[in-house]
Structure formats: structure tokens, C-alpha cells
Amino acid sequence: MPIKFPFSRRRTGPTDAWTKCPSCEQQVFNKQLERNLRVCPHCGHHFRMGIGERIELLLDEGSFVERDATLESGDPLGFSDQKPYPNRIEAAKLKTGLREAAVWGTGSIDGRRVMGSVVGEKVARCFEAALAERLPAIIVSASGGARMQEGTLSLLQLAKTTAPLVRLDEAGVPFISILTDPTTGGVLASFASLGDAIIAEPKALIGFAGARVASGTVGEELPEGFQTAEFLLEHGFVDMISPRAELRSTLSRLLRLLPVAPVEDLERGEGQHAWGPIGVLSGLAERVGGAVSETIGIKVEPDAAGSSNGDRPARSPNDAEPATTEDER
Ligand SMILES: [Zn+2]
């Protein structure tokens, strides 16, 4: 039986009218918080967001069609700590109203169809389907890491989710990774950091191991805030930070800039280099020139037509005639 999402921002959860912002410590009226996409109106702190709310935020209204709604976690190891693992899963289901930590399916953003998943284990299926149907893949990650209760099978997810990405890359189908608070452990160590574009929400905690463990492992003091979205942007790990209110329009722009490669190009072998990480950027820069500067904040010089640096042929009339520059002869 497919689950029903609470597709409204109103939550049925705690009845307290106020929430204390962990960042600025102001009391925020819950209704105001919901209206403001769960972003603190005082300091811009991004509170965590449920799956239904996230889908509502990013996709065209009513466009989401869930797949694999009945797929559930097993208990392959018969794992038990203070209580049996199946009991933990059951408790989590009751708490969230969701059958699984991950939900995936198709939807559209400003009319463009996409394949998307929120969190965890269903991402491999999402990538496979994106490949088969040639739809851009978008994953919103929020994860504390792999499930140790599923042992090695959980670790295998790293390989399972990463392998299809190579095929997606070769097929010229873009993958956009969205990192939200928190994106850690195995999720970050695999697909989440492999997007053609990696977008983070402001101040999101992003890291592999906890700060104390990481510091202990390398045996030195690590810089203040080294696991924040802002620090990672500064060091080139994240491509951009998008406030929640702008996330949808950012995605829409990226989907326009990173179209799925036409199959004919791939058959001619022209798509081969264009979709490596460097190829995407150089191809993008060549195709859209100055437009990129304003769109993604990277300064690029517009280039004359006919460049052969792994560029893919232009697809729209606008792209076909790049803006002319003064020094063009
Ligand atoms: Zn605040």
C-alpha cells in the first residue's frame, strides 16, 4: 500500500506553538516557520525539512509520481542492540509516517521532467531509471550515514549508488546533488559528492566523520567550521550555496544549462568528453559565455563559435549564435 505524504506544510507533530532557533536562540512562531519554508526569519537558519515538504518545495505542484512505494528495509543480519532492528524501523515509520527513509519518483520543475530522490537507499534505482528514461537526476541528501544495523550490505550501497553514476555520466545525463543539513558518512562518501553540480543549503553540516573523530584521525586541530557548506564552497568542494527560497529557481536554471545530451551526439562520440567534470564546465562556459557569470557566479569569457574542445553542438537557436565579442574578427 503506497504511503500518503503530508503534502501540506502544516505539520501534525508537536503541538508547541514556538520553536527556539538553535542558531540565534530567538523563539519563532511555528506557523511563521512553516510559512517561511522552515527558515528562521531572524537569522536565516535552515531547519531540517520533511520529505513531503521538500517535494512540495522543489517540484511543480502535483507533478510528483512516486515509484517503489512498497520497497522496505529488511533485517538481513537479525541485528539487535537494545532492541531488535525491525522494532527500530517500525518506530521510525510511526514517527515519520513514511515507509522508508528514501522516496523517489518522477516530477517536473518549471515543466521539465526530472527523476528525483530524497535521501538514501533508493538512489541506485533512481539513477538506473534516470539513465533508462534519459531524465536529469536530482538527489536531495540528508543522512547521518550508512545503517550499521545492515552491516556490510549497507556499505555495499556506496558502490551500488556510485556505479550507475559512471554510466549516467557516459550517457550525458546530468546529475544534480543537493546537500542539506546533515549530509555525512557513506552518503557523502559516495553519490552525494559526485554531482555534475553540487548545491548546498546555507550552513548545512557536511562531512564524512564527526568533527572530533576527524580531528583525532589526522591528529591535529581542524579549522573552525570546516564541515559547513560555506567552508566547503570556499575550498571548491561545493559549487554553490542556495538559500531554500531560491533552490527551485536555481534547479530550473541548472536544468536549462545542463540539458540531457541528445542521443545522436553520443553515437557520433561527441558527447564522450563533454560530460566529464571538466568537460561540463568548459562546454558550459563555451556555450553560454557571459550568461554563466550571472547565473552561477563564475566569471567566464564568451568564446567564438566552432570551438572543438569537447564541446557539444548547440541545441537551441540562442546557443547556436554565441554573443559576439569586441575582439572577434
Ligand atoms: Zn535564528
Side-chain angles (χ1 to χ4, degrees):
M1 180 187 69
I3 43 159
K4 284 224 161 45
F5 293 111
F7 270 118
S8 128
R9 288 203 187 95
R10 222 177 310 117
R11 291 187 309 161
T12 49
T15 48
D16 314 44
W18 303 85
T19 300
K20 188 177 177 188
C21 172
S23 188
C24 69
E25 308 205 327
Q26 294 252 28
Q27 295 285 353
V28 187
F29 196 38
N30 279 346
K31 282 214 173 96
Q32 194 183 7
L33 196 57
E34 305 307 332
R35 266 202 309 274
N36 206 30
L37 308 173
R38 298 188 55 72
V39 173
C40 172
H42 305 291
C43 72
H45 174 79
H46 282 51
F47 285 79
R48 292 174 188 178
M49 203 176 207
I51 291 180
E53 294 168 312
R54 183 62 74 174
I55 287 171
E56 192 182 66
L57 170 76
L58 296 180
L59 299 180
D60 295 345
E61 199 180 339
S63 70
F64 183 70
V65 180
E66 196 191 356
R67 299 200 185 172
D68 278 341
T70 54
L71 195 72
E72 294 190 50
S73 289
D75 180 23
L77 304 182
F79 191 92
S80 184
D81 42 56
Q82 283 117 347
K83 51 180 164 178
Y85 182 47
N87 292 11
R88 288 194 182 276
I89 297 179
E90 210 50 52
K93 272 189 223 162
L94 284 175
K95 194 172 152 207
T96 59
L98 298 174
R99 204 169 270 274
E100 250 290 13
V103 165
W104 77 284
T106 54
S108 59
I109 295 176
D110 290 344
R112 275 189 175 72
R113 282 191 79 213
V114 295
M115 186 73 72
S117 169
V118 185
V119 215
E121 275 69 20
K122 286 183 181 172
V123 293
R125 282 168 181 256
C126 175
F127 290 146
E128 300 287 359
L131 182 64
E133 297 170 41
R134 302 192 66 76
L135 291 178
I138 298 172
I139 310 277
V140 181
S141 298
S143 168
R147 296 181 180 184
M148 59 149 188
Q149 294 92 339
E150 292 172 21
T152 307
L153 294 177
S154 175
L155 276 184
L156 279 177
Q157 304 294 329
L158 271 67
K160 195 170 129 191
T161 54
T162 306
L165 276 180
V166 178
R167 292 199 294 279
L168 214 57
D169 186 50
E170 284 165 358
V173 176
F175 162 44
I176 300 172
S177 177
I178 302 174
L179 315 180
T180 71
D181 186 64
T183 299
T184 61
V187 167
L188 182 71
S190 58
F191 62 88
S193 51
L194 293 174
D196 292 308
I198 302 176
I199 310 173
E201 285 200 332
K203 302 220 173 78
L205 169 72
I206 301 166
F208 179 56
R212 221 164 1 99
V213 176
S215 179
T217 306
V218 295
E220 57 183 86
E221 199 71 17
L222 291 164
E224 173 90 19
F226 75 102
Q227 291 183 319
T228 59
E230 287 72 16
F231 187 93
L232 294 171
L233 175 70
E234 210 173 293
H235 292 79
F237 187 90
V238 161
D239 296 312
M240 69 176 92
I241 293 177
S242 175
R244 194 168 283 164
E246 294 165 20
L247 202 49
R248 186 185 150 96
S249 57
T250 302
L251 275 180
S252 182
R253 275 205 309 278
L254 273 175
L255 289 170
R256 230 168 37 232
L257 292 167
L258 294 174
V260 174
V263 178
E264 317 82 79
D265 288 7
L266 297 167
E267 283 166 355
R268 284 201 301 264
E270 289 175 14
Q272 255 174 17
H273 305 294
W275 286 90
I278 302 300
V280 165
L281 284 179
S282 63
L284 187 65
E286 281 161 16
R287 267 182 300 144
V288 289
V292 179
S293 313
E294 56 174 276
T295 311
I296 56 176
I298 299 174
K299 191 97 188 96
V300 289
E301 296 300 324
D303 192 13
S307 157
S308 58
N309 189 17
D311 196 8
R312 293 164 50 252
R315 301 184 65 219
S316 76
N318 286 347
D319 289 346
E321 291 180 10
T324 48
T325 54
E326 270 120 58
D327 54 2
E328 205 174 3
R329 270 152 291 180

